Amino acid sequence: MSKYMYLFLTQLTVVFHLLFILFVIIGGFFAHKNRWVAIVHFGALAWAIYAELSPGVVCPLTTLENYFGQHAGLSTYKEDFITRHLIPVIYQENVTYSFQVFLVVLVICINVIAYRIRWNQKDRNS
């Protein structure tokens, strides 16, 4: 496979990773549309909480990004849009454990609100 294909796969994985993170944060707002969305969202949320709070746990998407990035050549990968703007969102530097816990609690609160809205809408429609 060519270096450019690995670069494309790296970028695609980073975008998917960011979309996964966004789904974890706001997926509860979409859960009212289909039951399977709620089931997938609860699984994603559980994984994200576990991965964020467990030392040494590496997300499979991170492993995939590193694999593709290594084969793409880091010098080629360093200066594109995705690396400059999305990587710092996904991999924040110097984040303390306390701040990680705060982020987890924030994500849980956002999702409690989302599911509460969902349940209130469901009750009104019944």
Side-chain angles (χ1 to χ4, degrees), residues 2-124:
S2 77
K3 194 174 191 178
Y4 296 107
M5 181 56 81
Y6 280 114
L7 178 61
F8 171 75
L9 291 172
T10 305
Q11 293 171 341
L12 186 65
T13 308
V14 169
V15 169
F16 183 77
H17 202 168
L18 182 62
L19 291 174
F20 177 81
I21 292 168
L22 290 174
F23 179 67
V24 165
I25 295 170
I26 61 172
F29 290 104
F30 302 100
H32 70 282
K33 300 202 185 271
N34 289 310
R35 177 168 281 222
W36 68 267
V37 174
I39 293 168
V40 171
H41 181 254
F42 275 124
L45 183 60
W47 164 254
I49 291 169
Y50 170 74
E52 189 68 24
L53 296 180
S54 300
V57 172
V58 178
C59 178
L61 291 171
T62 301
T63 303
L64 200 57
E65 289 165 18
N66 290 337
Y67 173 79
F68 290 145
Q70 181 181 11
H71 286 83
L74 294 176
S75 61
T76 307
Y77 185 64
K78 285 184 178 176
E79 297 302 323
D80 62 13
F81 174 84
I82 289 173
T83 303
R84 182 170 292 173
H85 299 289
L86 296 186
I87 293 291
V89 172
I90 296 171
Y91 304 106
Q92 300 173 9
E93 292 184 22
N94 302 320
V95 175
T96 64
Y97 185 75
S98 299
F99 189 68
Q100 286 177 299
V101 170
F102 168 76
L103 291 175
V104 166
V105 170
L106 180 63
V107 168
I108 290 171
C109 289
I110 290 169
N111 281 286
V112 165
I113 292 167
Y115 280 98
R116 179 112 179 150
I117 290 169
R118 175 183 181 249
W119 289 322
N120 288 340
Q121 288 174 343
K122 194 174 186 179
D123 289 341
R124 279 188 243 140

